[in-house]
Amino acid sequence: MRNIHFWAKTTPDGRPGIAVRDHCLNVGCVAEALLRPWPPSLRELLPPGAALLAALHDVGKISPGFQQKCPAWMGHPHFQPEAAETNHAKVSQWFLQQWLGDNARKLKRWLMAVGAHHGQSQGPWIKDARGGGVAIGPTGGPEWQAARRELADTLAAFFGPGTSPPPLPDTAPPNDAVLGLLAGLVAVADWIGSDERFFSPAVESPPLAPEARRARAARAVAAIGLDQPPAVRSAAFADLFPSLATPNALQQIAATRCRQPGLWILEAPMGGGKTEAALLAASHLLADGRARGLYFALPTQTTSNRIFERIESWLASLLRDSAALRLAHGASWLEDRDIIQVPPRAGPGDAAEKQENPWAAQSWFASARRALLAPFGVGTVDQALLGVVAARHFFVRLFGLAGKVVVLDEVHSYDLYTGTLLDLLIEQLLQLRCTVLVLSATLTRQRREELLAAARQALGLSAAPVTDAAPPDAATDPYPLLTGVTAAESRIQVAVEPTPAPLRCVRLRCEEIPFAAAAAACVRRAEAGQVVLWVRNTVDAAQRSFAALCGALREGGPETALLHSRFPWFRRDALEAHWLKRLGKDAADRPRGAVLVATQVVEQSVDIDADFLLTDLAPTDMLLQRLGRLWRHPRPNRPNQADGPEAWIHTPDCEHFVTGDDLKARLRGLAPPYAAYVLLRTAREWRRWAARGGIRLPADLRSILEATYAPWPEEPEAWRALREEMERRASKLRGQAVSASNAWSLPTLADDEGVQTRYSDYPTLTLVLLQALEPGRGTLRLTTLEGVTVTARERDWSREVAAALHRSHVKIPAWWLRDGQPENPAALGPYFVGSWALATVDGDDLRLDGREGANAGLKYLPDRGVWREAAPGQPPHPDYPDNDEPDD
């Protein structure tokens, strides 16, 4: 079979194209080019012969199962059609096991990385009829094996000294992170080596000389923008953050201490400049060549969108040459600027114009699975967590993050499932020479120590005491505080001098507040000129509050508005942009009296400044975040300036209830979404502080936070039972998270946000709101609620249709349609994951298409969103939390 042309790609007319040999050589050369700009500390993680392993990825295409996929090739006189293994990646891994002989068992995990280059592990060992492992079908006779061996020897000679054994590793990978790094290299090199803009699918005639092949690979990597680390300058603080005069104490310490890869935890009050501290530290790491990019990870898509422009401004001041900045989350493709090429601001000695890179900005990083390969990114934490769960191409995300600064913001906001995944992510990032900056205003000592312990384990360090012994009472830990772990030091702790500022004493009313009294207080204060923020724990409660206020406020009086996640996407985006602008720091048209009713969507990382706060009871860390929206900025003309900030916390009286069921009943509407036990402990502490006259922020933040979660030996029996119930659930969630992280063993799922990175007891359904729907033969013409008309065709996916559907969709509880979902049009099937339905807006009713005359009680109004009216006599059902998780 020596003279047979084994094809790797077909030409546009379906003919056999570039040879397997030439494609493998191209991919190996791309891998060399990708590795060239990496710092030695990162490059040394990969085994000798990493480029050769990348080149060997497609040797399995020399097999009858693959070659017969091209009908034109099957006419070859030497080929007889036969039943054979069609998975060429599995054939590649199996062949390498044979090729390496006695060393194969020792190196089998490296070979897994090669076999996984299409996004999914083939298993740790591929067997034929003679051995144990994952079964493989026929791979051809001795002639085919000889042809594969000849190609492998050719590649070994090209990428090494040509000796036997070939230049490959002699030990197994030390951990899953490094295994994923190699798998990511192989997959990314294959993507670039298969990109027809750089490498033609046609037969190479004559084949390129080695120098020309390597030069072409280098040009491809350069065109994408991965050929060199970002060129940055040592910019002054005022240049990086023009709105700030000088760095505060936290920012100065972060800049001087966070100079080595490792884990760094920054704890400081809401609005204390943690974001700028992290970016300042990243600036120095990039300038010193200790990082090759940045990813800023936030809890939600909304918070990601809000900080994107801030990162863009910082980056423009830092760069010497243009670089790609990617917004990375499940809906980022709907944004006009999800991928931008950031040009540097002109500085002394800089050229007036910089050459931009069109490939990176407009094309190559557009795919969601390639998003984290961009040098700089902002997005949800889920995009990073997809690197440690069994999502397709999970290892590409690890490859993209390796060696970068990764900022994890608002880490207190994650539940135990996502928090466990976060610990596993931090471990793998540290093993990949990343600098991980964790930001939080409300981190408990226990959670801080868990993160530090995970970091020490990842870096192979033993636990070490703090240089200055920590006080026995966690409430007396310094605040603000910087703690860290690096490869050289197992614990660093630096107390930060608080930024001089007036100490805010927030007066508290912490008791059961009847609904009518709460609404009346909001109306009275708004009519007195105050901006009132009323935070409810569930969407249903927020909508009922909003409806009551609309009936109570006089026409032409104070404004009222509602924010939650059960608006269609386009409407929610407009509402948030409008109110964040009007209630932000520099609002020019701040209303004179208004009530904003909201759920957890305003709890953190949003700039809303209220004069008065009314809130449902929530865990202490969430309450503190909500208090961060109260008197957020100095305003000399506040209507209640003389009274000082005040917050009312609706806290049901649970003191006299002695069974767990009774306590849960008293907390209905508050738990869930939060654990009943945590709410009880929270209420106990906040009542104490209210009796003292209020809470001083930030001075008392650490005390009340630690007291809420500290052991309480004298707790009542019913409380203890609720705590044990909570602990059992916590153990379950941790176990499920660890199981989901066995990415090399589990079947892969779609790499969509929320599929494996979040846990919920509340299944949801995607509902698309329409103005009109016109079925046709194989087509569906629809006008969305936003007023966009598109036509969907069967077997013809359209980005225009996808965007229109997404912008008018809303997530609703799946049980709302428990009586049966309508039959969905086949033309729209490819646009959705999970359960979905269409609804046409008719007045304030939603008519479910396919269920004539039925609307399941669903309603919609532009200022209220989607809700469900229960039928008369129907028992109430629990509402669902509004935790703003990314859409899946």
Side-chain angles (χ1 to χ4, degrees):
M1 306 183 78
R2 177 177 294 274
N3 296 320
I4 293 179
H5 174 75
F6 296 108
W7 62 276
K9 308 286 180 184
T10 55
T11 58
D13 60 357
R15 306 294 299 176
I18 187 171
V20 176
R21 169 191 177 276
D22 295 327
H23 171 66
C24 288
L25 287 170
N26 288 340
V27 170
C29 289
V30 170
E32 288 180 331
L34 287 170
L35 292 175
R36 198 169 294 121
W38 281 17
S41 61
L42 185 58
R43 197 164 53 239
E44 69 187 12
L45 293 175
L46 290 174
L52 172 58
L53 286 171
L56 288 163
H57 77 293
D58 266 357
V59 68
K61 285 186 173 179
I62 300 182
S63 61
F66 179 83
Q67 292 296 307
Q68 65 190 16
K69 291 181 179 181
C70 177
W73 191 90
M74 291 179 66
H76 198 285
H78 292 88
F79 178 71
Q80 298 296 321
E82 58 183 288
E85 176 62 61
T86 59
N87 184 340
H88 71 270
K90 184 185 289 187
V91 177
S92 294
Q93 186 174 336
W94 171 81
F95 166 75
L96 292 176
Q97 294 170 184
Q98 314 303 310
W99 188 51
L100 293 176
D102 294 340
N103 287 329
R105 286 283 182 182
K106 181 171 63 175
L107 304 181
K108 65 180 182 180
R109 279 172 57 79
W110 291 121
L111 304 186
M112 285 175 65
V114 178
H117 67 271
H118 283 297
Q120 182 174 353
S121 170
Q122 307 299 323
W125 190 257
I126 310 298
K127 71 172 184 177
D128 53 19
R130 297 169 295 175
V134 178
I136 189 171
T139 59
E143 297 88 352
W144 290 92
Q145 186 75 338
R148 290 188 286 264
R149 186 175 296 277
E150 180 181 358
L151 173 58
D153 292 341
T154 297
L155 297 175
F158 188 98
F159 293 103
T163 58
S164 183
L168 292 173
D170 55 8
T171 59
N175 49 57
D176 281 355
V178 173
L179 177 62
L181 187 65
L182 177 63
L185 173 69
V186 176
V188 174
D190 185 30
W191 289 344
I192 299 175
S194 301
D195 193 321
E196 295 182 9
R197 293 168 296 185
F198 308 122
F199 300 91
S200 170
V203 176
E204 286 187 8
S205 182
L208 289 177
E211 297 78 9
R213 193 179 300 279
R214 285 189 164 101
R216 185 170 62 175
R219 288 194 298 272
V221 172
I224 294 167
L226 299 176
D227 60 322
Q228 57 186 352
V232 300
R233 70 182 89 207
S234 297
F237 181 85
D239 294 331
L240 295 173
F241 311 107
S243 63
L244 301 176
T246 57
N248 63 24
L250 176 70
Q251 293 155 358
Q252 290 174 348
I253 288 176
T256 56
R257 298 303 298 267
C258 304
R259 304 299 286 263
Q260 297 289 334
L263 172 68
W264 301 93
I265 303 173
L266 283 68
E267 300 173 69
M270 296 74 71
K274 294 185 293 296
T275 297
E276 290 79 9
L279 294 177
L280 187 60
S283 304
H284 290 293
L285 288 159
L286 287 160
D288 294 343
R290 299 184 184 277
R292 64 184 196 96
L294 172 133
Y295 184 67
F296 204 110
L298 296 113
T300 67
Q301 296 175 4
T302 299
T303 53
S304 303
N305 292 344
R306 302 299 175 209
I307 205 170
F308 185 73
E309 291 184 2
R310 292 173 65 183
I311 302 294
E312 179 187 1
S313 176
W314 164 79
L315 196 54
S317 299
L318 184 67
L319 291 173
R320 289 191 180 277
D321 296 309
S322 61
L325 173 62
R326 179 68 153 86
L327 178 63
H329 58 63
S332 60
W333 60 281
L334 291 170
E335 302 289 336
D336 292 334
R337 303 175 72 246
D338 61 328
I339 310 171
I340 60 175
Q341 196 74 9
V342 181
R345 291 197 181 98
D350 289 341
E353 296 184 1
K354 297 286 185 180
Q355 181 67 38
E356 293 195 1
N357 184 336
W359 292 112
Q362 301 172 12
S363 178
W364 209 82
F365 299 118
S367 166
R369 65 185 50 159
R370 298 178 185 177
L372 301 192
L373 299 174
F376 298 95
V378 180
T380 56
V381 71
D382 303 78
Q383 290 294 320
L385 293 177
L386 285 169
V388 295
V389 297
R392 196 166 184 86
H393 287 102
F394 66 93
F395 41 78
V396 170
R397 287 178 166 84
L398 285 178
F399 178 83
L401 294 173
K404 290 182 177 176
V405 176
V406 179
V407 182
L408 303 173
D409 199 7
E410 309 287 6
V411 295
H412 56 270
S413 64
Y414 304 115
D415 64 15
L416 281 165
Y417 179 86
T418 303
T420 300
L421 291 179
L422 195 73
D423 292 352
L424 298 171
L425 172 67
I426 289 173
E427 289 185 31
Q428 296 207 25
L429 292 177
L430 294 178
Q431 290 164 347
L432 296 179
R433 307 294 194 262
C434 290
T435 303
V436 182
L437 296 168
V438 168
L439 313 183
S440 178
T442 54
L443 203 66
T444 64
R445 175 194 275 186
Q446 179 180 344
R447 186 68 182 117
R448 183 199 322 137
E449 295 305 319
E450 288 171 353
L451 293 170
L452 295 172
R456 282 191 287 269
Q457 178 176 330
L459 297 174
L461 302 172
S462 58
V466 188
T467 305
D468 298 319
D473 180 7
T476 62
D477 281 356
Y479 189 80
L481 180 66
L482 170 70
T483 49
V485 174
T486 69
E489 295 182 82
S490 61
R491 186 178 186 110
I492 302 163
Q493 179 164 310
V494 183
V496 181
E497 187 69 26
T499 301
L503 195 64
R504 284 194 302 153
C505 182
V506 180
R507 291 179 293 131
L508 298 174
R509 177 182 175 186
C510 192
E511 60 187 62
E512 190 163 345
I513 305 172
F515 179 80
C522 290
V523 170
R524 184 176 66 255
R525 287 176 177 269
E527 290 180 340
Q530 296 180 31
V531 171
V532 177
L533 177 61
W534 190 358
V535 182
R536 306 304 310 269
N537 285 0
T538 65
V539 179
D540 178 66
Q543 290 174 322
R544 284 189 289 107
S545 298
F546 175 74
L549 291 171
C550 289
L553 286 167
R554 55 185 172 79
E555 186 175 350
E559 298 177 71
T560 185
L562 179 63
L563 291 181
H564 56 70
S565 67
R566 212 171 287 160
F567 286 100
W569 191 92
F570 79 93
R571 179 63 179 155
R572 176 182 170 180
D573 189 55
L575 285 169
E576 288 178 347
H578 175 79
W579 285 101
L580 290 178
K581 181 179 180 181
R582 295 194 66 192
L583 301 182
K585 181 178 181 180
D586 301 315
D589 61 343
R590 182 177 175 87
R592 176 70 181 177
V595 184
L596 177 62
V597 183
T599 57
Q600 295 93 331
V601 298
V602 302
E603 199 166 74
Q604 52 200 7
S605 296
V606 293
D607 186 15
I608 284 179
D609 180 13
D611 300 320
F612 173 73
L613 174 68
L614 174 62
T615 175
D616 285 346
L617 178 66
T620 288
D621 32 349
M622 301 298 109
L623 286 179
L624 290 168
Q625 291 290 334
R626 294 176 188 185
L627 260 65
R629 313 309 116 190
L630 179 63
W631 286 41
R632 186 173 177 87
H633 302 296
R635 294 189 188 279
N637 58 346
R638 286 190 193 276
N640 56 341
Q641 186 75 37
D643 300 328
E646 183 178 6
W648 290 6
I649 303 172
H650 168 56
T651 310
D653 184 3
C654 298
E655 294 296 325
H656 306 296
F657 294 85
V658 295
T659 71
D661 289 342
D662 287 342
L663 289 169
K664 288 181 180 179
R666 289 293 295 160
L667 294 170
R668 191 180 306 278
L670 305 175
Y674 303 112
Y677 177 76
V678 174
L679 291 184
L680 291 171
R681 293 294 306 272
T682 297
R684 180 173 181 266
E685 295 306 323
W686 285 79
R687 284 181 185 274
R688 290 181 175 183
W689 288 88
R692 298 176 188 176
I695 183 172
R696 300 170 303 155
L697 293 177
D700 296 330
L701 186 151
R702 182 82 83 190
S703 297
I704 195 168
L705 182 65
E706 295 294 347
T708 301
Y709 295 100
W712 182 26
E714 298 84 16
E715 65 187 8
E717 183 178 349
W719 291 36
R720 177 183 55 78
L722 290 175
R723 174 175 55 79
E724 291 172 351
E725 177 184 303
M726 181 187 70
E727 290 170 347
R728 287 192 297 271
R729 175 177 168 80
S731 179
K732 170 189 171 184
L733 292 179
R734 288 192 187 97
Q736 288 179 320
V738 171
S739 176
S741 69
N742 293 323
W744 288 100
S745 303
L746 295 175
T748 59
L749 297 176
D751 55 347
D752 293 316
E753 289 189 356
V755 172
Q756 297 180 85
T757 57
R758 308 276 176 141
Y759 181 87
S760 176
D761 291 317
Y762 310 102
T764 60
L765 175 145
T766 300
L767 188 67
V768 180
L769 305 188
L770 306 174
Q771 293 182 13
L773 182 66
E774 303 173 31
R777 179 175 295 182
T779 66
L780 191 69
R781 180 181 173 86
L782 50 87
T783 301
T784 68
L785 185 62
E786 191 179 11
V788 176
T789 300
V790 292
T791 299
R793 295 176 173 81
E794 292 185 17
R795 298 181 296 277
D796 184 15
W797 190 91
S798 162
R799 188 184 188 282
E800 179 187 22
V801 174
L805 293 171
H806 192 99
R807 288 183 60 83
S808 287
H809 93 283
V810 62
K811 293 284 187 178
I812 64 171
W815 69 264
W816 283 5
L817 300 185
R818 66 189 182 285
D819 296 331
Q821 293 178 219
E823 183 177 345
N824 291 318
L828 297 184
Y831 296 96
F832 297 96
V833 175
S835 301
W836 60 280
L838 304 177
T840 303
V841 178
D842 182 10
D844 63 352
D845 286 328
L846 292 182
R847 181 174 58 82
L848 294 171
D849 288 277
R851 298 180 63 193
E852 199 63 38
N855 72 348
L858 300 189
K859 302 281 188 177
Y860 171 77
L861 286 173
D863 58 354
R864 184 170 173 179
V866 175
W867 77 97
R868 179 181 183 273
E869 287 189 349
Q874 186 180 68
H877 287 265
D879 192 27
Y880 290 73
D882 198 32
N883 50 11
D884 199 32
E885 292 176 2
D887 296 334
D888 56 6

